[in-house]
Structures are given as C-alpha cells and as structure tokens.
Coordinates of all heavy atoms in Angstrom, one line a residue:
M1 N 59.2 -78.2 7.2 CA 60.5 -78.1 6.8 C 61.3 -79.4 7.1 O 61.1 -79.9 8.2 CB 61.2 -76.9 7.4 CG 62.6 -76.7 7.1 SD 63.3 -75.1 7.7 CE 63.8 -74.4 6.2
V2 N 62.2 -79.8 6.2 CA 63.0 -81.0 6.5 C 64.3 -80.6 7.0 O 65.0 -79.7 6.5 CB 63.1 -81.9 5.2 CG1 64.0 -83.0 5.4 CG2 61.7 -82.3 4.7
H3 N 64.7 -81.3 8.0 CA 66.0 -81.1 8.7 C 66.9 -82.3 8.6 O 66.4 -83.4 8.9 CB 65.8 -80.7 10.2 CG 65.0 -79.5 10.3 ND1 65.4 -78.2 10.1 CD2 63.6 -79.4 10.6 CE1 64.4 -77.3 10.3 NE2 63.3 -78.0 10.6
D4 N 68.1 -82.1 8.2 CA 69.1 -83.2 8.1 C 70.1 -83.1 9.2 O 70.6 -82.0 9.5 CB 69.8 -83.2 6.8 CG 68.9 -83.4 5.6 OD1 68.0 -84.2 5.7 OD2 69.1 -82.7 4.5
F5 N 70.4 -84.2 9.9 CA 71.3 -84.2 11.0 C 71.8 -85.6 11.3 O 71.2 -86.6 10.9 CB 70.7 -83.6 12.3 CG 69.4 -84.2 12.8 CD1 69.5 -85.3 13.7 CD2 68.2 -83.9 12.2 CE1 68.3 -85.9 14.1 CE2 67.0 -84.5 12.7 CZ 67.1 -85.5 13.6
T6 N 72.9 -85.7 11.9 CA 73.5 -87.0 12.3 C 73.8 -87.0 13.8 O 74.3 -86.1 14.4 CB 74.8 -87.2 11.5 OG1 74.5 -87.1 10.1 CG2 75.4 -88.6 11.9
L7 N 73.4 -88.1 14.4 CA 73.6 -88.4 15.8 C 74.7 -89.4 15.9 O 74.6 -90.5 15.2 CB 72.4 -88.8 16.5 CG 71.1 -88.0 16.4 CD1 70.0 -88.6 17.1 CD2 71.4 -86.6 17.0
V8 N 75.8 -89.2 16.6 CA 76.9 -90.1 16.8 C 76.8 -90.7 18.2 O 76.8 -89.9 19.1 CB 78.2 -89.5 16.5 CG1 79.4 -90.5 16.7 CG2 78.3 -88.9 15.0
Y9 N 76.8 -92.0 18.3 CA 76.7 -92.7 19.6 C 77.9 -93.6 19.8 O 78.4 -94.2 18.9 CB 75.4 -93.5 19.6 CG 74.2 -92.7 19.8 CD1 73.5 -92.1 18.8 CD2 73.7 -92.5 21.1 CE1 72.4 -91.4 18.9 CE2 72.5 -91.7 21.3 CZ 71.9 -91.2 20.2 OH 70.8 -90.4 20.4
A10 N 78.3 -93.7 21.1 CA 79.2 -94.7 21.5 C 78.3 -95.9 22.1 O 77.3 -95.6 22.8 CB 80.1 -94.2 22.6
L11 N 78.5 -97.1 21.6 CA 77.6 -98.2 21.9 C 78.2 -98.9 23.2 O 79.4 -99.1 23.3 CB 77.5 -99.2 20.8 CG 76.9 -98.5 19.5 CD1 77.0 -99.6 18.4 CD2 75.5 -98.1 19.7
D12 N 77.3 -99.4 24.0 CA 77.6 -100.2 25.1 C 78.1 -101.5 24.6 O 77.6 -102.1 23.7 CB 76.4 -100.3 26.0 CG 76.6 -101.1 27.3 OD1 77.0 -102.3 27.2 OD2 76.4 -100.5 28.3
S13 N 79.1 -102.1 25.3 CA 79.6 -103.4 24.8 C 78.6 -104.5 24.9 O 78.7 -105.5 24.1 CB 80.9 -103.8 25.6 OG 80.5 -103.9 27.0
G14 N 77.6 -104.4 25.7 CA 76.5 -105.4 25.8 C 75.4 -105.2 24.7 O 74.4 -105.9 24.7
M15 N 75.6 -104.2 23.8 CA 74.6 -103.9 22.8 C 74.4 -105.0 21.8 O 73.4 -105.1 21.1 CB 74.9 -102.6 22.1 CG 73.9 -102.1 21.3 SD 72.8 -100.8 22.0 CE 73.6 -100.1 23.3
G16 N 75.4 -105.9 21.6 CA 75.4 -106.9 20.7 C 76.1 -106.6 19.4 O 76.8 -105.6 19.3
S17 N 75.8 -107.3 18.3 CA 76.5 -107.2 17.1 C 75.9 -106.0 16.3 O 74.8 -105.5 16.7 CB 76.4 -108.4 16.2 OG 75.0 -108.6 15.9
Q18 N 76.5 -105.7 15.2 CA 76.0 -104.6 14.3 C 74.6 -105.1 13.8 O 73.7 -104.2 13.7 CB 76.9 -104.4 13.1 CG 78.2 -103.7 13.4 CD 79.0 -103.4 12.2 OE1 78.8 -103.9 11.1 NE2 80.1 -102.7 12.4
E19 N 74.4 -106.3 13.5 CA 73.1 -106.8 13.1 C 72.0 -106.6 14.2 O 70.9 -106.3 13.9 CB 73.1 -108.3 12.7 CG 73.9 -108.6 11.5 CD 75.4 -108.6 11.7 OE1 75.9 -108.7 12.8 OE2 76.2 -108.3 10.7
D20 N 72.4 -106.8 15.5 CA 71.5 -106.6 16.6 C 71.1 -105.1 16.7 O 69.9 -104.8 16.9 CB 72.1 -107.0 17.9 CG 72.3 -108.5 18.0 OD1 71.6 -109.2 17.4 OD2 73.3 -108.9 18.8
V21 N 72.1 -104.2 16.5 CA 71.8 -102.8 16.5 C 70.8 -102.4 15.4 O 69.9 -101.7 15.6 CB 73.1 -102.0 16.4 CG1 72.8 -100.5 16.2 CG2 73.9 -102.2 17.7
L22 N 71.1 -102.9 14.2 CA 70.3 -102.6 13.0 C 68.9 -103.1 13.2 O 67.9 -102.5 12.9 CB 70.9 -103.2 11.8 CG 72.2 -102.6 11.2 CD1 72.7 -103.5 10.1 CD2 72.0 -101.2 10.8
R23 N 68.7 -104.3 13.8 CA 67.4 -104.9 14.1 C 66.6 -104.0 15.1 O 65.5 -103.8 14.9 CB 67.6 -106.3 14.6 CG 66.3 -107.1 14.7 CD 66.4 -108.5 15.1 NE 67.6 -108.9 15.9 CZ 68.7 -109.5 15.3 NH1 68.8 -109.6 14.0 NH2 69.7 -109.8 16.1
R24 N 67.3 -103.6 16.1 CA 66.7 -102.7 17.1 C 66.2 -101.4 16.5 O 65.1 -101.0 16.8 CB 67.6 -102.4 18.3 CG 67.9 -103.5 19.2 CD 68.9 -103.1 20.2 NE 69.4 -104.2 21.0 CZ 69.8 -104.1 22.2 NH1 69.8 -102.9 22.9 NH2 70.3 -105.2 22.9
L25 N 67.0 -100.8 15.6 CA 66.6 -99.6 15.0 C 65.4 -99.8 14.0 O 64.5 -99.0 13.9 CB 67.8 -99.0 14.3 CG 68.9 -98.4 15.2 CD1 70.1 -98.1 14.4 CD2 68.4 -97.2 15.9
A26 N 65.5 -100.9 13.3 CA 64.4 -101.2 12.3 C 63.1 -101.5 13.0 O 62.1 -101.2 12.4 CB 64.8 -102.4 11.4
N27 N 63.1 -102.0 14.2 CA 61.9 -102.3 14.9 C 61.5 -101.2 15.8 O 60.6 -101.4 16.7 CB 62.1 -103.6 15.7 CG 62.2 -104.8 14.8 OD1 61.6 -104.9 13.8 ND2 63.1 -105.7 15.3
S28 N 62.0 -100.0 15.6 CA 61.7 -98.8 16.4 C 61.1 -97.7 15.6 O 60.9 -97.8 14.4 CB 63.0 -98.4 17.1 OG 63.8 -97.7 16.2
A29 N 61.0 -96.6 16.2 CA 60.5 -95.3 15.5 C 61.7 -94.7 14.7 O 61.5 -93.7 14.0 CB 60.0 -94.3 16.5
C30 N 62.8 -95.4 14.7 CA 64.0 -94.9 14.0 C 64.2 -95.7 12.7 O 65.3 -95.7 12.2 CB 65.2 -95.0 14.8 SG 65.2 -94.1 16.4
A31 N 63.2 -96.3 12.2 CA 63.3 -97.2 11.0 C 63.7 -96.3 9.8 O 64.2 -96.9 8.8 CB 62.0 -97.9 10.7
D32 N 63.6 -95.0 9.8 CA 64.0 -94.2 8.7 C 65.4 -93.7 8.7 O 65.9 -93.0 7.8 CB 63.1 -92.9 8.7 CG 63.3 -92.1 9.9 OD1 63.6 -92.6 11.0 OD2 63.0 -90.8 9.8
V33 N 66.2 -94.2 9.6 CA 67.6 -93.7 9.8 C 68.5 -94.4 8.8 O 68.3 -95.6 8.4 CB 68.1 -94.0 11.3 CG1 68.3 -95.5 11.5 CG2 69.4 -93.3 11.5
T34 N 69.6 -93.7 8.4 CA 70.7 -94.3 7.6 C 71.8 -94.5 8.6 O 72.2 -93.6 9.3 CB 71.1 -93.4 6.5 OG1 70.0 -93.2 5.6 CG2 72.2 -94.0 5.7
V35 N 72.3 -95.7 8.7 CA 73.3 -96.1 9.7 C 74.7 -96.2 9.0 O 74.9 -96.7 8.0 CB 73.0 -97.5 10.3 CG1 74.0 -97.9 11.3 CG2 71.6 -97.5 10.9
G36 N 75.7 -95.6 9.8 CA 77.1 -95.6 9.3 C 77.9 -96.1 10.4 O 77.8 -95.7 11.6
W37 N 78.9 -97.0 10.1 CA 79.8 -97.6 11.1 C 81.1 -97.0 10.8 O 81.6 -97.0 9.7 CB 79.8 -99.1 10.9 CG 78.5 -99.7 11.1 CD1 77.7 -100.1 10.1 CD2 77.8 -100.0 12.3 NE1 76.5 -100.7 10.6 CE2 76.6 -100.6 12.0 CE3 78.1 -99.8 13.7 CZ2 75.6 -101.0 13.0 CZ3 77.2 -100.2 14.6 CH2 76.0 -100.7 14.3
G38 N 81.8 -96.5 11.9 CA 83.1 -95.9 11.7 C 84.0 -96.5 12.8 O 84.4 -97.7 12.7
R39 N 84.3 -95.7 13.8 CA 85.2 -96.2 14.9 C 84.5 -97.4 15.5 O 83.3 -97.5 15.6 CB 85.3 -95.1 15.9 CG 86.1 -93.9 15.3 CD 86.1 -92.7 16.3 NE 86.5 -93.2 17.6 CZ 86.3 -92.4 18.7 NH1 85.8 -91.3 18.6 NH2 86.7 -92.9 19.9
P40 N 85.4 -98.3 16.1 CA 84.8 -99.4 16.8 C 83.9 -99.0 17.9 O 84.2 -98.0 18.6 CB 86.0 -100.1 17.3 CG 87.1 -99.7 16.5 CD 86.8 -98.3 16.0
E41 N 82.8 -99.7 18.0 CA 81.8 -99.4 19.1 C 81.1 -98.0 19.0 O 80.6 -97.5 20.0 CB 82.3 -99.7 20.5 CG 82.7 -101.1 20.7 CD 83.1 -101.5 22.1 OE1 82.9 -100.7 23.0 OE2 83.7 -102.5 22.3
H42 N 81.1 -97.5 17.8 CA 80.5 -96.2 17.5 C 79.6 -96.4 16.3 O 79.9 -97.1 15.4 CB 81.5 -95.1 17.3 CG 82.2 -94.6 18.5 ND1 83.1 -95.3 19.1 CD2 82.0 -93.5 19.2 CE1 83.6 -94.7 20.2 NE2 82.9 -93.5 20.3
V43 N 78.5 -95.6 16.3 CA 77.6 -95.6 15.1 C 77.1 -94.2 14.8 O 76.9 -93.4 15.8 CB 76.4 -96.6 15.4 CG1 75.5 -96.1 16.5 CG2 75.6 -96.8 14.1
G44 N 77.0 -93.9 13.6 CA 76.5 -92.6 13.1 C 75.1 -92.8 12.6 O 74.9 -93.7 11.7
L45 N 74.1 -92.1 13.0 CA 72.7 -92.2 12.6 C 72.3 -91.0 11.9 O 72.1 -89.9 12.5 CB 71.8 -92.5 13.8 CG 72.3 -93.7 14.7 CD1 71.4 -93.8 15.9 CD2 72.2 -95.0 13.9
A46 N 72.1 -91.0 10.6 CA 71.8 -89.9 9.8 C 70.2 -89.9 9.6 O 69.6 -90.8 9.2 CB 72.4 -89.9 8.4
F47 N 69.7 -88.7 10.0 CA 68.2 -88.5 9.9 C 67.9 -87.4 8.9 O 68.7 -86.4 8.8 CB 67.6 -88.1 11.3 CG 67.7 -89.2 12.3 CD1 68.8 -89.4 13.1 CD2 66.6 -90.1 12.4 CE1 68.8 -90.4 14.1 CE2 66.6 -91.1 13.4 CZ 67.7 -91.2 14.2
S48 N 66.8 -87.5 8.3 CA 66.2 -86.4 7.5 C 64.7 -86.4 8.0 O 63.9 -87.1 7.5 CB 66.2 -86.7 6.0 OG 65.8 -85.7 5.3
R49 N 64.5 -85.4 8.9 CA 63.2 -85.4 9.6 C 62.4 -84.1 9.3 O 63.0 -83.0 9.3 CB 63.4 -85.5 11.1 CG 63.9 -86.9 11.6 CD 62.7 -87.8 11.8 NE 63.0 -89.2 12.1 CZ 62.9 -89.7 13.4 NH1 62.6 -88.9 14.4 NH2 63.2 -90.9 13.6
E50 N 61.1 -84.2 9.2 CA 60.3 -83.0 9.0 C 59.8 -82.5 10.3 O 59.4 -83.3 11.2 CB 59.1 -83.4 8.1 CG 58.4 -82.1 7.7 CD 57.4 -82.4 6.5 OE1 57.6 -83.4 5.7 OE2 56.4 -81.7 6.5
A51 N 60.0 -81.2 10.6 CA 59.6 -80.6 11.8 C 59.7 -79.1 11.6 O 60.3 -78.6 10.7 CB 60.5 -81.0 13.0
I52 N 58.9 -78.4 12.4 CA 58.9 -76.9 12.4 C 60.3 -76.4 12.7 O 60.8 -75.5 12.0 CB 57.9 -76.3 13.3 CG1 56.5 -76.7 12.8 CG2 58.0 -74.8 13.4 CD1 55.3 -76.4 13.7
E53 N 61.0 -77.0 13.7 CA 62.3 -76.5 14.2 C 63.3 -77.7 14.2 O 62.9 -78.8 14.6 CB 62.2 -75.9 15.6 CG 61.3 -74.7 15.7 CD 61.3 -74.2 17.1 OE1 61.8 -74.9 18.1 OE2 60.7 -73.1 17.3
R54 N 64.5 -77.4 13.8 CA 65.5 -78.4 13.8 C 65.7 -79.0 15.2 O 65.8 -80.2 15.4 CB 66.9 -77.9 13.4 CG 68.0 -78.9 13.4 CD 69.3 -78.3 13.0 NE 69.2 -77.4 11.9 CZ 69.6 -77.6 10.7 NH1 70.1 -78.8 10.4 NH2 69.4 -76.7 9.7
D55 N 65.7 -78.2 16.3 CA 65.9 -78.7 17.6 C 64.8 -79.7 18.0 O 65.1 -80.7 18.7 CB 65.9 -77.5 18.6 CG 67.2 -76.7 18.5 OD1 68.2 -77.1 17.9 OD2 67.2 -75.6 19.1
A56 N 63.6 -79.4 17.6 CA 62.5 -80.4 17.9 C 62.8 -81.7 17.2 O 62.6 -82.8 17.8 CB 61.2 -79.8 17.5
A57 N 63.2 -81.7 16.0 CA 63.5 -82.9 15.3 C 64.6 -83.7 15.9 O 64.6 -84.9 16.1 CB 63.9 -82.6 13.8
V58 N 65.7 -83.0 16.4 CA 66.8 -83.6 17.0 C 66.4 -84.2 18.3 O 66.7 -85.4 18.7 CB 68.0 -82.6 17.2 CG1 69.1 -83.2 18.1 CG2 68.5 -82.2 15.8
R59 N 65.6 -83.5 19.1 CA 65.2 -84.0 20.5 C 64.4 -85.2 20.3 O 64.5 -86.2 21.1 CB 64.4 -82.9 21.2 CG 65.3 -81.9 21.9 CD 64.4 -81.0 22.9 NE 63.3 -80.4 22.3 CZ 63.2 -79.2 21.6 NH1 64.3 -78.5 21.6 NH2 62.1 -78.8 21.1
L60 N 63.5 -85.2 19.4 CA 62.6 -86.4 19.2 C 63.5 -87.6 18.7 O 63.3 -88.7 19.3 CB 61.6 -86.1 18.1 CG 60.6 -87.3 17.8 CD1 59.9 -87.8 19.0 CD2 59.7 -86.9 16.7
A61 N 64.4 -87.4 17.8 CA 65.3 -88.5 17.4 C 66.1 -89.1 18.5 O 66.3 -90.3 18.7 CB 66.2 -88.1 16.2
V62 N 66.7 -88.2 19.4 CA 67.5 -88.6 20.5 C 66.6 -89.4 21.5 O 67.1 -90.5 21.9 CB 68.1 -87.4 21.2 CG1 68.6 -87.8 22.6 CG2 69.2 -86.7 20.4
A63 N 65.4 -89.0 21.7 CA 64.5 -89.8 22.6 C 64.2 -91.2 22.0 O 64.1 -92.2 22.7 CB 63.2 -89.0 22.8
Q64 N 64.0 -91.2 20.7 CA 63.6 -92.5 20.0 C 64.8 -93.4 20.0 O 64.7 -94.6 20.2 CB 63.2 -92.2 18.6 CG 61.8 -91.5 18.6 CD 61.4 -91.1 17.2 OE1 62.2 -90.8 16.3 NE2 60.1 -91.0 17.0
V65 N 66.0 -92.9 19.8 CA 67.2 -93.7 19.9 C 67.4 -94.2 21.3 O 67.8 -95.4 21.5 CB 68.5 -92.9 19.4 CG1 69.7 -93.8 19.6 CG2 68.3 -92.6 17.9
A66 N 67.2 -93.4 22.3 CA 67.3 -93.9 23.7 C 66.4 -95.1 24.0 O 66.8 -96.0 24.7 CB 67.0 -92.7 24.6
Q67 N 65.3 -95.1 23.4 CA 64.4 -96.3 23.6 C 64.9 -97.5 22.8 O 64.8 -98.6 23.2 CB 63.0 -95.9 23.1 CG 62.3 -95.0 24.1 CD 60.8 -94.7 23.7 OE1 60.5 -94.9 22.5 NE2 60.0 -94.2 24.6
A68 N 65.4 -97.2 21.6 CA 65.8 -98.3 20.7 C 67.2 -98.9 21.2 O 67.4 -100.1 21.0 CB 65.9 -97.9 19.3
L69 N 68.1 -98.0 21.6 CA 69.4 -98.5 22.0 C 69.7 -98.0 23.4 O 70.6 -97.2 23.6 CB 70.4 -97.9 21.0 CG 70.3 -98.2 19.5 CD1 71.3 -97.5 18.7 CD2 70.4 -99.7 19.3
P70 N 69.1 -98.6 24.4 CA 69.4 -98.1 25.8 C 70.8 -98.5 26.1 O 71.3 -99.5 25.8 CB 68.4 -99.0 26.6 CG 67.9 -100.1 25.8 CD 68.1 -99.6 24.4
G71 N 71.5 -97.5 26.8 CA 72.9 -97.7 27.1 C 73.8 -97.0 26.1 O 75.0 -96.9 26.4
A72 N 73.3 -96.7 25.0 CA 74.2 -95.9 24.0 C 74.3 -94.5 24.5 O 73.4 -93.9 25.0 CB 73.5 -96.0 22.6
A73 N 75.5 -94.0 24.4 CA 75.8 -92.6 24.8 C 76.0 -91.7 23.6 O 76.8 -91.9 22.7 CB 77.1 -92.6 25.7
L74 N 75.2 -90.6 23.6 CA 75.3 -89.6 22.6 C 76.7 -88.9 22.7 O 77.0 -88.3 23.7 CB 74.2 -88.6 22.7 CG 74.1 -87.5 21.6 CD1 73.9 -88.1 20.2 CD2 73.0 -86.5 21.9
V75 N 77.4 -89.0 21.6 CA 78.8 -88.3 21.5 C 78.7 -86.9 21.0 O 79.2 -86.0 21.5 CB 79.7 -89.2 20.7 CG1 81.1 -88.5 20.5 CG2 79.9 -90.6 21.4
R76 N 77.9 -86.8 19.9 CA 77.8 -85.5 19.2 C 76.6 -85.5 18.3 O 76.1 -86.5 17.8 CB 79.0 -85.0 18.6 CG 79.4 -85.7 17.3 CD 80.6 -85.1 16.6 NE 80.8 -85.7 15.3 CZ 81.4 -86.8 15.1 NH1 82.0 -87.5 16.0 NH2 81.5 -87.3 13.8
V77 N 76.2 -84.2 18.0 CA 75.1 -84.0 17.0 C 75.7 -83.2 15.9 O 76.3 -82.1 16.2 CB 73.9 -83.2 17.6 CG1 72.9 -82.9 16.6 CG2 73.3 -84.0 18.8
D78 N 75.7 -83.6 14.7 CA 76.1 -82.9 13.5 C 74.9 -82.4 12.7 O 74.1 -83.2 12.3 CB 77.0 -83.8 12.6 CG 78.3 -84.2 13.3 OD1 78.8 -83.4 14.2 OD2 78.8 -85.2 13.0
T79 N 74.8 -81.1 12.5 CA 73.7 -80.6 11.7 C 74.2 -80.0 10.4 O 75.3 -79.6 10.3 CB 73.0 -79.5 12.5 OG1 73.9 -78.4 12.8 CG2 72.3 -80.0 13.8
A80 N 73.4 -80.2 9.4 CA 73.8 -79.7 8.1 C 73.5 -78.2 7.9 O 72.8 -77.6 8.6 CB 73.0 -80.5 7.0

C-alpha cells in the first residue's frame, strides 16, 4: 500500500543553502522526496512511500532524513 505524508523540518543555520539541502537529499535514500520551501529555515518533505503500515513508512523516512540532514529538527508530520 502507498502512503502519502509530509515531514516538516526546521533547518539548522549551519545546514547551508537550499541547494546544499537539495544535494544532500538527492545523494541519500530520500531522493524520491518532493521538497517545498515555506517559512525561512524550514522545509517540507513530501513522500509517497510503499509500506504495509503508514507508521513504518514515516519512521523509515524520518530515519533517512536524519542521516541526510543531521541537525534538522522534525516539527510535524502531516498525513493524508
């Protein structure tokens, strides 16, 4: 089953530019993410992931983002 959800993160000021963030995501297990920029130093990451349970898909994505963007703080999870 495919699950759609968005993870919203506050970015650490040392994270670099938007291009740096995009490059980190593209070179990670999160290359399938759709990135949205809103509030300054915040990013929305929209995923459409296949998994048996939505919670499993979200947990995996959170772990993958933590590796790609260390120092980013998860603000909220929006599920469809």
Side-chain angles (χ1 to χ4, degrees):
M1 175 174 239
V2 175
H3 303 282
D4 298 321
F5 57 93
T6 302
L7 306 177
V8 178
Y9 283 87
L11 300 176
D12 184 298
S13 59
M15 190 97 18
S17 68
Q18 289 182 351
E19 291 80 21
D20 293 333
V21 171
L22 292 172
R23 187 173 30 261
R24 289 179 190 207
L25 291 168
N27 292 325
S28 73
C30 301
D32 63 331
V33 70
T34 300
V35 180
W37 302 98
R39 295 175 45 196
E41 297 187 13
H42 285 75
V43 64
L45 305 176
F47 290 89
S48 186
R49 292 272 178 103
E50 192 165 329
I52 295 172
E53 297 178 353
R54 179 186 318 256
D55 289 345
V58 170
R59 280 193 306 273
L60 178 58
V62 168
Q64 291 171 333
V65 172
Q67 289 183 340
L69 302 175
L74 182 63
V75 175
R76 73 175 187 272
V77 177
D78 295 332
T79 57

